[in-house]
Amino acid sequence: MKSYVLKRFLSMLVTLWVIVTLTFFLMHAIPGSPFNEERATSDAVQKNLESFYHLDEPLAVQYILYLKSIVTFDFGPSIKQPSQTVNDLLGRGFPVSFELGMVTLILAVTSGITLGIIAALRRNGIIDYMAMSIAVIGLSVPNFVMATLLIQQLSVNLKILPAATWTSPLHMILPTLALATGPMAIIARLTRSSMIEVLTQDYIRTARAKGLSPVKIVFKHALRNALMPVITVLGTIAASVLTGTFVIEQIFAIPGMGKYFVDSINTRDYPVIMGTTVFYSSILIIMLFLVDIAYGILDPRIKLYKKEG
């Protein structure tokens, strides 16, 4: 187990290094400078700014300096907001994005599993068709389109829920629903197909023959194995939810990392772009690692064998 964890940890570091390297060189491959739009500044002032942010150094030197900042977790000041460091922006915006992402993930997982179980138990019935119709809608409609529809119907027309900002639990409902529909649909379809397959297994027939209640059969014997495909894709779903918050945050004027990240791309604020990329990449890689661990815990048949030779 220790050997496996060590190998996965080293693999995570390599993956993160590749992401950082690609992001760094792709950003610097774009023509121009973050100070091109600073019309009021003189050439001397612009050169001083480039020197302060090391943008006048060779690209290899900038790359080494940035790797050093990652190791020390000090991403430096923002170019467009010099009074703010990237760490300050992360500390202020990430808790909001994380809260939105986690609430969305919990809603998507619980509702998707529930919908999938109900559809499997009522296979080819009207409940099954209704549940899968909801899933198809969730898969077909992008979250930003869903967000627009929810705002139009629930906020503008019916005036039930607030449309923007992030000041009360009511403000969480619309963005959470907009983000959760897609992942919920994926989880519901996976749970349904997996549950249908598991319910035909011999050990389920044996449990029924012993007179166990349907509830006990489903939740104690069938559900654990039926959730394996869901656990497999949970890391990818979590990644899509966290990155999907950027667009939804812009639509609902949520003060999370989405605002800073989108603005940094538009203004070529290198420290914010790189700092956000590294931060989110680290979180997503760690989540994928935790999914691997959970996969082994849920299915005791999965063992870690030391490769011989």
Side-chain angles (χ1 to χ4, degrees):
M1 185 65 180
K2 290 181 179 179
S3 176
Y4 171 75
V5 172
L6 180 60
K7 289 178 181 178
R8 290 289 289 116
F9 179 73
L10 294 176
S11 174
M12 289 163 53
L13 291 180
V14 172
T15 303
L16 183 60
W17 172 75
V18 170
I19 293 172
V20 169
T21 302
L22 288 175
T23 305
F24 178 86
F25 286 104
L26 286 174
M27 282 304 306
H28 284 272
I30 301 174
S33 164
F35 305 110
N36 283 351
E37 297 180 359
E38 302 293 338
R39 306 294 183 187
T41 59
S42 64
D43 291 341
V45 172
Q46 184 167 326
K47 287 181 180 179
N48 288 335
L49 288 171
E50 291 178 349
S51 176
F52 178 78
Y53 290 102
H54 303 288
L55 297 179
D56 59 341
E57 300 279 2
L59 199 58
V61 175
Q62 294 183 48
Y63 177 65
I64 297 299
L65 289 173
Y66 194 74
L67 290 180
K68 181 180 177 181
S69 71
I70 292 174
V71 173
T72 58
F73 204 73
D74 181 10
F75 300 111
S78 165
I79 291 178
K80 295 301 178 180
Q81 302 181 62
S83 61
Q84 300 284 330
T85 67
V86 178
N87 295 53
D88 292 334
L89 298 179
L90 288 171
R92 185 164 61 249
F94 176 70
V96 177
S97 297
F98 182 77
E99 183 180 8
L100 175 59
M102 290 307 299
V103 172
T104 299
L105 197 59
I106 292 171
L107 176 63
V109 170
T110 54
S111 59
I113 291 176
T114 302
L115 209 59
I117 292 174
I118 294 173
L121 296 178
R122 297 292 185 268
R123 184 182 179 186
N124 296 328
I126 186 170
I127 296 179
D128 183 19
Y129 294 138
M130 289 176 61
M132 289 303 99
S133 297
I134 295 173
V136 168
I137 294 173
L139 285 172
S140 304
V141 182
N143 57 26
F144 59 89
V145 176
M146 182 64 69
T148 305
L149 295 174
L150 289 173
I151 291 173
Q152 179 65 37
Q153 296 301 321
L154 300 181
S155 183
V156 177
N157 293 342
L158 298 178
K159 301 185 185 304
I160 298 175
L161 296 169
T165 71
W166 190 260
T167 56
S168 73
L170 287 177
H171 290 85
M172 299 175 62
I173 296 176
L174 290 185
T176 300
L177 289 175
L179 272 174
T181 50
M184 178 204 68
I186 296 173
I187 293 172
R189 291 176 67 87
L190 281 174
T191 303
R192 176 187 179 274
S193 59
S194 183
M195 180 66 75
I196 289 174
E197 181 181 354
V198 168
L199 289 175
T200 61
Q201 299 297 315
D202 291 338
Y203 72 91
I204 298 295
R205 296 193 186 98
T206 302
R208 287 171 177 161
K210 291 181 178 179
L212 296 180
S213 66
V215 174
K216 198 168 186 178
I217 290 174
V218 170
F219 289 98
K220 186 176 181 180
H221 296 279
L223 185 59
R224 181 169 182 168
N225 291 326
L227 287 181
M228 296 306 297
V230 176
I231 296 297
T232 304
V233 301
L234 196 57
T236 305
I237 290 175
S240 66
V241 167
L242 285 176
T243 53
T245 61
F246 288 175
V247 178
I248 296 300
E249 286 172 14
Q250 290 290 97
I251 295 174
F252 289 96
I254 297 172
M257 281 308 302
K259 171 178 171 52
Y260 302 124
F261 189 67
V262 173
D263 289 346
S264 68
I265 293 175
N266 293 332
T267 59
R268 297 188 55 168
D269 194 338
Y270 293 147
V272 176
I273 294 173
M274 296 298 298
T276 306
T277 301
V278 172
F279 188 74
Y280 271 88
S281 298
S282 301
I283 291 175
L284 298 181
I285 292 171
I286 291 171
M287 291 183 70
L288 291 173
F289 172 71
L290 294 178
V291 166
D292 287 345
I293 301 299
Y295 195 80
I297 293 174
L298 276 177
D299 192 347
R301 295 171 298 178
I302 297 176
K303 302 292 183 182
L304 301 175
Y305 293 100
K306 183 178 180 181
K307 187 176 180 181
E308 297 181 358

